[in-house]
Amino acid sequence: MSRKYRWGILGPGRIAHQFAADLQLLPEAELVAVGSRSRENAEAFGAQYHIPRRHASYEALAADPEVEIIYVATPHIFHYRDSLLCLQHGKAVLCEKAFTINAREAEQLIAFARREKLFLMEAMWTRFQPALIKLRELLAAGTIGEQRMLRGELAFRAPFDPSGRLFDPALGGGALLDLGIYPLALAAMIFGAAPADIRGVAHIGATGVDEQCAFMLQYPEGQLASLFAAVRTAAPGGAVLLGSEGRIEIHGPLYRPESLTVIPEGREPQIFPTPYRGHGYLYEAREVMHCLAAGKTESETMPLDESLALMRIMDTLRRQWNLRYPTE
Ligand SMILES: NC(=O)c1ccc[n+]([C@@H]2O[C@H](COP(=O)([O-])OP(=O)(O)OC[C@H]3O[C@@H](n4cnc5c(N)ncnc54)[C@H](OP(=O)(O)O)[C@@H]3O)[C@@H](O)[C@H]2O)c1
């Protein structure tokens, strides 16, 4: 890439640390600004990553003329508000998953970005990592024949904290939006994002969010995905894709798989290690810069129509569970 892109980070929390560290591995990226609700956080984060411009409000970051791309890393419930703020100031936006809390917000955000011809992408980082690039190659080569069924999970046991991001409905808590999105996005990458039938069950915990959920999707040609997610119960993670001529096992947590095993019918299994650089976030950041360099306002690998379709599926599931967020 012939020039450097100037990044800002909005919401310097847990995940923003990992993203900031990964940006520093990319010679084409320069982390020039951070915006926090508090001066103290902005200063501390800025000092840790040698970020020169430290803003004590999200508005000031969005308005900073030195910043071209903003990574939005606030809790789900604020993604719409914070991404819109950045777009309104003409910035390119990479917004953490889940993209928004519902399809209505996603539609409005996408419409604004498209109208203003600004770049916008959901930070579905896994899709750009070596493991999923390899998986797409294997599928394109017909390695396991026709893809028929997917089983996938992402679940861990977080300490119960009613006011924490994972449990507080006011922050968009729950397993589906936080973790279920990963197996769901994987299913969409394999089978498409328009299932013909969607059915889910969930256990709603004391704070009113889904602490564990399981859901099945059926696609127009009969393919099935059986997926689950949980924030109070740990699972090994991973997925198995079953085809007409074998299967592919995806190992490691579904947000950042570590290897794939291809087991063709009647032949020896083949293991493909898929190591990643840094924490695995640099690939999505690189995608944003590649798109901008090519004059694109959307990624073809993680398109906005797909982010919207994923939000619609999650809306359908939450309707089945009577789960609404306070802003809905
Ligand atoms: N891609 C991944 O692997 C991955 C992993 C974890 C999380 N995520 C996503 O990243 C986003 C942030 O997750 P996180 O775990 O980093 O969250 P977090 O640490 O709880 O919060 C991130 C930051 O959001 C800001 N914030 C703004 N309003 C807030 C409020 N009312 N309460 C709490 N924080 C508020 C805070 O920054 P200031 O106060 O400094 O402004 C906070 O540090 C979520 O959408 C999550 O799904 C992605």
Side-chain angles (χ1 to χ4, degrees), residues 11-15 36-37 41 58 73-76 78-79 96-97 125 165 171 178 182 281:
R14 201 174 67 85
I15 204 62
S36 164
R37 294 175 299 172
N41 272 3
Y58 298 158
T74 45
H76 308 147
F78 306 120
H79 287 177
E96 258 309 336
K97 45 49 68 176
W125 58 314
R165 189 178 69 69
L171 296 177
D178 202 69
Y182 286 100
Y281 294 94

Side-chain angles (χ1 to χ4, degrees), residues 66-133:
E66 288 299 313
V67 176
E68 295 172 281
I69 310 167
I70 296 183
Y71 168 61
V72 171
T74 45
H76 308 147
I77 210 102
F78 306 120
H79 287 177
Y80 170 75
R81 178 199 72 186
D82 297 337
S83 296
L84 187 62
L85 173 71
C86 300
L87 291 169
Q88 282 167 337
H89 285 85
K91 308 302 186 203
V93 172
L94 173 64
C95 176
E96 258 309 336
K97 45 49 68 176
F99 192 46
T100 52
I101 56 152
N102 58 36
R104 184 178 47 81
E105 288 185 352
E107 264 166 27
Q108 291 174 11
L109 200 58
I110 292 169
F112 186 89
R114 286 185 174 155
R115 199 166 54 239
E116 300 298 322
K117 299 186 171 45
L118 292 165
F119 182 87
L120 174 64
M121 186 178 100
E122 179 179 4
M124 182 38 70
W125 58 314
T126 314
R127 191 154 297 185
F128 305 97
Q129 293 166 5
L132 289 209
I133 293 173

Side-chain angles (χ1 to χ4, degrees), residues 203-271:
H203 168 72
I204 306 295
T207 60
V209 303
D210 55 311
E211 289 187 0
Q212 52 190 25
C213 60
F215 43 104
M216 303 272 289
L217 308 174
Q218 184 167 37
Y219 296 85
E221 301 195 351
Q223 308 99 320
L224 287 176
S226 167
L227 313 171
F228 73 74
V231 292
R232 288 287 289 155
T233 308
V240 183
L241 176 60
L242 308 171
S244 54
E245 293 163 36
R247 67 178 194 270
I248 299 177
E249 295 178 357
I250 302 170
H251 307 289
L254 259 200
Y255 51 76
R256 196 176 49 197
E258 286 148 16
S259 64
L260 307 175
T261 305
V262 179
I263 307 165
E265 202 67 54
R267 278 187 284 145
E268 281 301 296
Q270 214 183 339
I271 299 171

